[in-house]
Amino acid sequence: MENVPGIKTDFNNAILSEFLQRLKAKFSLGVARYNIQELSDDENRNNAINDLKMAVPKLKLISKDDSLVEDVEKFIQLKNKEQFNILVNRLRKDLYK
């Protein structure tokens, strides 16, 4: 009765565990955890931009305004203060709707 499907054995558990680990590695996104107090300003900026890039698909689902997503993408590309202020104002308006 060793290694019969449906029968729990150490061997079957090991196979299942390895399979689940490979499945998670294949289909999950790695999310890095970081402490902003320990990083430099440049590293924090880069991490914030990456977080913003990852949020664009969610923003497309939340907002009905396609130009808002365009403003986010424009800020990601330009990374300047003027575009940041435009983006913040757009987000405020969109959230109050």
Side-chain angles (χ1 to χ4, degrees), residues 58-93:
K58 292 177 186 174
L59 185 60
K60 287 180 180 180
L61 293 173
I62 294 169
S63 178
K64 295 176 183 163
D65 185 359
D66 291 335
S67 64
L68 176 63
V69 174
E70 291 170 6
D71 284 342
V72 170
E73 291 172 341
K74 190 173 180 181
F75 168 72
I76 291 170
Q77 183 182 14
L78 298 176
K79 299 178 193 117
N80 63 27
K81 186 175 182 176
E82 179 184 348
Q83 193 60 40
F84 176 77
N85 290 333
I86 292 169
L87 177 60
V88 169
N89 287 333
R90 290 296 310 274
L91 288 170
R92 283 183 184 148
K93 289 177 186 176

Side-chain angles (χ1 to χ4, degrees), residues 23-33 53-55 57-58:
L23 190 63
K24 286 179 186 177
K26 186 174 183 180
F27 292 106
S28 66
L29 292 173
V31 177
R33 303 274 183 212
K53 287 177 185 176
M54 296 294 288
K58 292 177 186 174

Side-chain angles (χ1 to χ4, degrees), residues 39-50:
L39 300 176
S40 69
D41 288 344
D42 288 338
E43 289 172 313
N44 281 325
R45 276 189 214 98
N46 287 335
N47 288 338
I49 292 293
N50 287 335

